[in-house]
Amino acid sequence: MAVTRSTPADRRSQQTATATLPKAGRPAMPWDRPRVTRTQEALLLAGAFVAVLFGLFLVYRAVTSSFAEVEARMGRGEVVNLNEVSRAEQITPLLSFLEERTERAFVAEEIAKHLTRPSEPPVPNVGELGKIRIPAAGVADSTKLPELRARLEAARAAGATVDTLRLLSTTDLRRLKPEVVVRTPAQFRRAFFLWTALFLLVFPLVHLAFRWRQFTGDQLMLPIVLLLAGLGLMVMLSVRDPLRDQLLFRTFAQGVAVGAALLFAASQVDYERSPLPRLSFVPLLAAFGLSLLLITLGSGPGGSDAKVNLFGFQPVELIKILIVLFLAGYFRDRWEFLRELPETRGGLGGMPRWARLPKIEYALPPIVAIGFVLGFFFLQKDLGPALVMAFVFFFLYAVARGRWTLAAAGAALVGLGFFVGYQLGYPRTVSGRISMWLSPW
């Protein structure tokens, strides 16, 4: 008897074609399609909206609780706005941690020169002062700059070749930070209300666009995205000083707006009829290409040996998305084969049902692909994403197979691999992080 294999996509395509046939005797009309109200999405979106608003209100109250005190200190000249500095005398009183008066005057003059350069953009955060460097030769020959000279001599004693020296050490910057700001409380409030309003507005707009286009997709997705993104916005708002650090929530809100536009654009593609499901290996090849570029041309932050930076950006997040697209596309069209066609070659047909393996020709491609991905991350010495991708693969594989046994075994093997790497001390970044977790103090 002949056996015909068809994928879920083939059957859905046939069902869609049958469902959209016109009534007998006339061509298809737009009103033949069932109308999508998306009422459930609207209700859930409203609930998520209220939850996010309440969370933002609490975070806003917490981060602005010190604004009255800061404004009072600014009025007395005890706190200085770096973007309003016009002369060194405004900075000198803030450098009391420098014992030598001439050194205070010198450091204040260098800071003022940096802040008042005509082509210099507004200072985004106090940490920018840590980038100011001065020639080492002038420090070495001066007896009036004792702390700068001590730092220079310590660096040279350690064997470093020093041509320029940081004007402010990390300790100096930490002492100076409470005495300066880069924006006023009023400027922060304007930025907060502007960008949170943009963030909150894009979700109802996407919902209305879904209604307008009669989108039939999942009605849980948009409310869940709002909740998760709302939590992210709260974190971005709370992890930085609102008057002294960069406004991370601003770029986060901008990213969410762009992502919402991409979400709507992607929802308008008919994936069932498009060739995209058959191109699942294209994202995989793109991820391989980016990984090879990272290994050969990438660099790490500071003195880290991890390779995460490439041409001014970090492509790891894009690589993770590409891998998820590959896995989703592959398992989407082959999940029934993975479930229903056990491997019988080599005497494996007699294994218990819970331990049966799928046919090797269907199971091997994603396993090999993920093996290469994990190898690339290992060579990049960036095993955080490797751990994430390994467990994403195990989860998707378990869903596609309908069984969790092999996925649990794979997760145990990954844990064993990290343990062995820690015992061997390689990569250094991973062993160091595990040591810090074991001994946090």
Side-chain angles (χ1 to χ4, degrees):
M1 180 178 68
V3 177
T4 301
R5 294 181 181 177
S6 63
T7 66
D10 296 333
R11 293 192 292 277
R12 281 194 296 270
S13 178
Q14 294 169 2
Q15 292 167 0
T16 302
T18 303
T20 56
L21 286 175
K23 294 183 178 180
R26 66 170 175 82
M29 296 295 179
W31 50 80
D32 287 331
R33 293 181 301 175
R35 185 161 184 82
V36 181
T37 61
R38 305 196 72 81
T39 303
Q40 181 186 17
E41 181 178 85
L43 295 174
L44 293 174
L45 201 61
F49 199 88
V50 171
V52 171
L53 268 179
F54 181 65
L56 288 173
F57 168 73
L58 295 179
V59 175
Y60 176 79
R61 284 194 61 184
V63 300
T64 60
S65 59
S66 63
F67 279 11
E69 179 187 352
V70 172
E71 287 176 317
R73 293 186 65 198
M74 290 178 68
R76 296 192 298 266
E78 298 173 2
V79 172
V80 173
N81 187 343
L82 293 178
N83 288 307
E84 296 178 357
V85 169
S86 58
R87 61 189 191 280
E89 288 74 17
Q90 295 172 271
I91 302 293
T92 307
L94 311 178
L95 303 175
S96 57
F97 51 85
L98 298 174
E99 295 182 4
E100 184 64 39
R101 181 175 59 84
T102 54
E103 191 164 31
R104 287 201 298 269
F106 173 79
V107 171
E109 187 66 35
E110 292 295 325
I111 292 175
K113 283 196 295 186
H114 178 80
L115 295 176
T116 55
R117 285 187 293 184
S119 59
E120 197 71 19
V123 180
N125 62 84
V126 176
E128 286 292 308
L129 298 182
K131 298 179 181 179
I132 303 175
R133 304 188 74 89
I134 56 176
V139 174
D141 299 334
S142 176
T143 59
K144 298 180 179 181
L145 306 173
E147 292 199 23
L148 288 168
R149 188 173 180 178
R151 281 201 282 123
L152 176 61
E153 291 173 352
R156 287 178 172 173
T161 302
V162 183
D163 297 321
T164 62
L165 185 69
R166 286 177 59 189
L167 181 67
L168 295 170
S169 67
T170 304
T171 303
D172 294 338
L173 204 57
R174 186 168 62 246
R175 291 170 176 171
L176 178 62
K177 189 172 183 177
E179 315 303 323
V180 295
V181 296
V182 296
R183 66 186 65 85
T184 64
Q187 289 172 327
F188 171 80
R189 291 189 182 98
R190 284 197 297 270
F192 170 80
F193 288 117
L194 172 64
W195 295 110
T196 54
L198 172 68
F199 171 88
L200 294 170
L201 182 62
V202 296
F203 291 94
L205 288 178
V206 172
H207 169 72
L208 293 175
F210 280 168
R211 281 180 175 267
W212 169 56
R213 296 293 296 173
Q214 292 291 290
F215 179 54
T216 58
D218 195 312
Q219 299 194 41
L220 293 175
M221 178 177 61
L222 195 60
I224 290 174
V225 170
L226 172 56
L227 277 176
L228 294 177
L231 289 172
L233 184 64
M234 295 173 211
V235 171
M236 294 298 103
L237 182 62
S238 62
V239 296
R240 292 288 185 266
D241 190 304
L243 304 181
R244 297 173 176 89
D245 293 327
Q246 284 184 312
L247 298 179
L248 297 182
F249 68 87
R250 176 171 56 195
T251 52
F252 185 86
Q254 292 168 351
V256 168
V258 173
L262 293 175
L263 171 65
F264 174 71
S267 71
Q268 302 309 298
V269 178
D270 188 347
Y271 292 96
E272 300 289 352
R273 299 173 183 269
S274 74
L276 292 176
R278 297 190 296 274
L279 302 176
S280 60
F281 282 91
V282 173
L284 178 66
L285 295 176
F288 283 176
L290 283 174
S291 296
L292 288 172
L293 286 174
L294 261 181
I295 293 170
T296 55
L297 304 175
S299 61
S304 173
D305 59 348
K307 296 188 175 183
V308 297
N309 298 318
L310 180 68
F311 306 140
F313 80 109
Q314 295 185 359
V316 173
E317 299 303 322
L318 179 57
I319 290 173
K320 289 194 288 189
I321 292 174
L322 291 170
I323 296 301
V324 169
L325 289 175
F326 159 70
L327 292 174
Y330 186 89
F331 288 138
R332 171 185 178 275
D333 284 340
R334 296 168 178 83
W335 65 271
E336 285 184 316
F337 300 157
L338 291 168
R339 290 188 184 188
E340 305 300 334
L341 300 178
E343 181 59 72
T344 57
R345 290 166 289 193
L348 297 176
M351 296 181 67
R353 181 175 176 83
W354 63 268
R356 286 180 185 174
L357 301 176
K359 279 196 172 295
I360 194 70
E361 56 264 35
Y362 298 119
L364 193 59
I367 293 174
V368 171
I370 288 297
F372 272 107
V373 170
L374 297 183
F376 286 141
F377 280 125
F378 186 80
L379 293 175
Q380 295 162 21
K381 299 182 177 64
D382 189 15
L383 295 191
L387 186 63
V388 171
M389 293 315 304
F391 282 97
V392 166
F393 167 73
F394 292 138
F395 179 79
L396 292 178
Y397 178 80
V399 171
R401 278 277 289 160
R403 299 187 185 94
W404 296 89
T405 311
L406 293 179
L413 284 175
V414 170
L416 178 63
F418 272 81
F419 175 76
V420 171
Y422 169 68
Q423 295 296 323
L424 297 176
Y426 186 87
R428 179 167 53 87
T429 304
V430 174
S431 61
R433 288 183 178 180
I434 294 177
S435 297
M436 286 188 287
W437 177 72
L438 293 174
S439 182
W441 307 117

